[in-house]
Amino acid sequence: MFIVSNNNNSISHFAMRKLNLYIYFFLIGMQAAQAQQRWNVVSPDRSLQVELTYQTGSLSYRVLSGSTVIIKPSALGITSKQEQLSSGLTFVRSNSRKIDERYTLVVGKRTNNRAIANESNFVFRSKSNTPLQIDIRAYNDGVAFRYHFPQVKRSMEIVSEQTEFSIPTDGVVWVQNYDLPSDWTPAYEGVYQDGIAIGTNAKDSGGWAFPALFQLKNHWLLLTESNLDRNFYGSKLDSNAANGVYKIAGPMESEGKGTGKISATASTPFSTPWRLCIIGKNLATIVESNLVYHVADKNKIGDVSWVKPGRSSWSWWGDHASSKDFVRLKNFVDLAQEMGWEYSLVDANWDMMEGGDIKQLVDYAKTKKVDLLLWYNSGGPHNVVTERPRDIMSDPVRRKEEFKKLREWGVKGVKIDFFQSDKQNVIALYHDILMDAAREKIMVNFHGCTLPRGWSRTYPNLVTMEAVRGAENYGWGKEYAQTAPVLNNIYTYTRNVVGPMDYTPVTFSDYECCPHTTTNAHELALTVLFESGWLHFADRAEPYRQLSQQVKDFIRTVPVVWDDTEFLQGSPGKETVLARRKGNKWYIAGASGVNAQTTISLQLPFLDKRYKAQVFSDGRTSKEINSWETSVEKNGSLSITVLPKGGFVVVLSPEQAK
């Protein structure tokens, strides 16, 4: 606007000042627009979105479900030994693509999977011209992001990460403390906190372990990570969670007896693991999600026709010394043969066997049409555990020779124990073991180990992992026996969501120190509730032999790999009811974590015809299992009475047309 004066039509002093102010504020606005940019990555069904914000050289993000904020504005950034890549960044470019991918899993809650997502890649440069790419994916059941370093032929050492998850504090979280390092830890075998306030700090410097399940006002959120390759370390959440801000943290110096660095060194191009947020308005979205596998690398081992999940006897739970006794091990081979189980697991110290040797046991098992699985110590310098055999799996030459020998003998799999570290050197060891085992067609079970991170898709010979406070704790844990009913009803919503879990269930008998508080029907239900490519029946032989014929028939045939999984009802720590399908049969299992008798009314809308139901439920006492039959109509329902800390299993078979 120009103001004309009576003095030679010149612009007045007032008008000039006003014009200068307009120009000043216009330039400020232009600078602000240039200093802040915002992008949205939206899920295919448009229910979820990740909002990435770039402002004055720094990055943050937030996650929304519709208009509901799931993760509040949270920092992004990563620091290398050379520089900090969380500030002073300059935006370079972005690109987007649609993902529609189909894949199959050898083990898991669902055989055939389809991953549909929208992905955007955002490239920034640091002050020293280092490129940093942020990859963001939005799926209908969650979002994922990671850091990628696209520059070629440059070594980088990552020392920390500034990633945050700022969670609204009006809710609760189920999470376990990450173990402080010891001769036996970290091993993800802590006790899950049963719905504590969001923002609670961890009890010590160990921090919080993945996965963490949050109940928000109208949503559920599970945080974890996936696709951890040999270029990085395993992450966790920092101890300080004040105001609901959970920060990514790395391993501790003393993990793995101090071997290996706490930083990660790799040559570009490489990526960090995906930071994963599974999000749903109900628990079905969390329990049924395979997002952990959607973002994992594809199969790296080729042909998987030789990978055979199955059921196994296991002598160690009831008799720790049995692995050194040929006669006692034969008894468990015989048990596997009687029950129609494919395998028998021989645990620690079998190389000290008396009354025979391992090759003789392998040959004996062949006469019974049972295959053996053998235990090994992973150490190496990263642990001091003396159980044998050790110093084989950590040595590349001896490891390859051992796997070759096992293949020649006809041994089908190995259980490898005591890793005690999430540092990069031990993470690389996991990958090396899986590749070397695959070359000789050997299946793998990791114990005393890290958390599953999508590896069963990348290496389908990885059929199960421990990383859980499982049934072995009955041997020494009086507190465990008391908390097991609650923990069993937390694992289905947390640990078992992210990968196969070798809990070693179905222990009907008791240790004198620590008797069960679960019912036998609850124990039977764990065969279906817990997913694992090897189902190790952990009890002594006689309790299985003394079962009724109906229960024996069930544990002879219960599947370990599922075509589909549906969450029916439940609440963490209190109750779980799942339906899993194998072929044309449905297996429904339920367990209670509460100390009161309940009646569970099952609504079965997925039934497309009339089914015959074989029901295994609680009897009059905790040690009795009732077996009865009924029919269920299409879209029908079923009611079952459950004792305190009890359970049930229902096998639904289509009725033959008359």
Side-chain angles (χ1 to χ4, degrees), residues 104 117 120 327 335 356 378 605:
T104 60
S120 292
V327 174
L335 175 68
S378 76

Side-chain angles (χ1 to χ4, degrees), residues 201-202 204-208 236-241 245-249:
N201 291 340
D204 52 43
S205 60
W208 294 115
K236 58 183 178 180
L237 298 170
D238 191 73
S239 301
N240 186 350
V245 179
Y246 293 82
K247 301 177 182 179
I248 288 286

Side-chain angles (χ1 to χ4, degrees), residues 503-540:
Y503 177 95
T504 64
V506 196
T507 51
F508 296 130
S509 65
D510 289 325
Y511 274 89
E512 185 176 344
C513 72
C514 319
H516 281 270
T517 60
T518 56
T519 69
N520 280 10
H522 180 124
E523 291 297 308
L524 190 69
L526 301 183
T527 60
V528 176
L529 289 177
F530 292 165
E531 179 267 308
S532 174
W534 283 342
L535 174 54
H536 290 111
F537 286 91
D539 207 344
R540 303 168 176 93

